[in-house]
Amino acid sequence: MTIQFKALPTEAVRALQRGAPDAYGLIPERKISDGDGVPCRHCLKNVTAGEAYLVLAYRPFPELQPYAETGPIFLHAEHCERAAEAEALPEILESSDYIVRGYGSDDRIVYGSGGVIPTGAIAARAESLFERDDIAYVHVRSARNNCYQCRIERSVAAVVRLSQCRVME
């Protein structure tokens, strides 16, 4: 099975870059990067020293519900290109480990799916989670602060294969 790391949608990011309110109804804060630990969740690259970035509250879920975690994220303040959906680890995942957690189609945590995983094992862990029918997607979050990093989904080819297998059963 193949997976795809997915960045935040461009439409939502552009709105925030234009001053739209964040998940708490606040205007994103504008800062200047010192080049250390400022991962943009849109291009999935680090904001380099001297570049402007935004700090804002983000909720990577479609609606409020008990499991809809909200937390701080960073974005380039100016336009950046959305990272291509790819199987390779994004540049921003440079820490030694991350929380990798599965969510169901109802956007709720699937208990027993989460764990702190070494960075080099994230893709393998996501693939093993996707062997379960109750996992719709996976979040990668900071192991130290629980900040949302990116989403992992089954690749289109993997979804087609999975649906073909279910039809044959």
Side-chain angles (χ1 to χ4, degrees):
M1 177 183 299
T2 57
I3 60 170
Q4 292 182 328
F5 288 87
K6 294 196 168 204
L8 297 187
T10 298
E11 309 79 51
V13 170
R14 294 292 181 257
L16 291 161
Q17 289 168 330
R18 288 189 303 269
D22 67 9
Y24 292 148
L26 302 172
I27 301 303
E29 297 176 10
R30 189 177 177 98
K31 307 278 184 182
I32 300 298
S33 175
D34 64 3
D36 185 32
V38 184
C40 177
R41 280 30 174 235
H42 183 249
C43 65
L44 301 182
K45 295 179 180 177
N46 291 303
V47 179
T48 59
E51 284 188 305
Y53 69 96
L54 303 175
V55 181
L56 58 116
Y58 185 72
R59 186 185 74 236
F61 299 93
E63 57 189 40
L64 287 174
Q65 41 94 354
Y67 296 91
E69 300 158 292
T70 302
I73 65 164
F74 306 124
L75 295 171
H76 276 101
E78 306 303 325
H79 286 205
C80 60
E81 291 297 316
R82 184 176 191 247
E85 296 173 2
E87 194 169 337
L89 282 175
E91 178 184 309
I92 64 168
L93 299 181
E94 58 186 16
S95 186
S96 61
D97 52 16
Y98 289 88
I99 296 169
V100 176
R101 183 183 309 138
Y103 292 80
S105 59
D106 61 355
D107 298 308
R108 293 164 189 264
I109 294 169
V110 175
Y111 283 99
S113 69
V116 177
I117 307 298
T119 303
I122 290 173
R125 176 63 180 157
E127 287 190 2
S128 70
L129 287 173
F130 285 134
E131 292 172 2
R132 298 174 51 169
D133 288 338
D134 58 345
I135 303 289
Y137 59 91
V138 171
H139 278 183
V140 178
R141 293 175 169 268
S142 164
R144 308 299 176 273
N145 301 305
N146 196 37
C147 299
Y148 175 84
Q149 302 296 312
C150 63
R151 179 172 165 140
I152 304 173
E153 294 182 2
R154 292 173 176 91
S155 71
V156 174
V159 171
V160 169
R161 282 194 304 272
L162 183 62
S163 63
Q164 288 171 342
C165 290
R166 288 188 178 140
V167 168
M168 297 171 86
E169 291 177 347

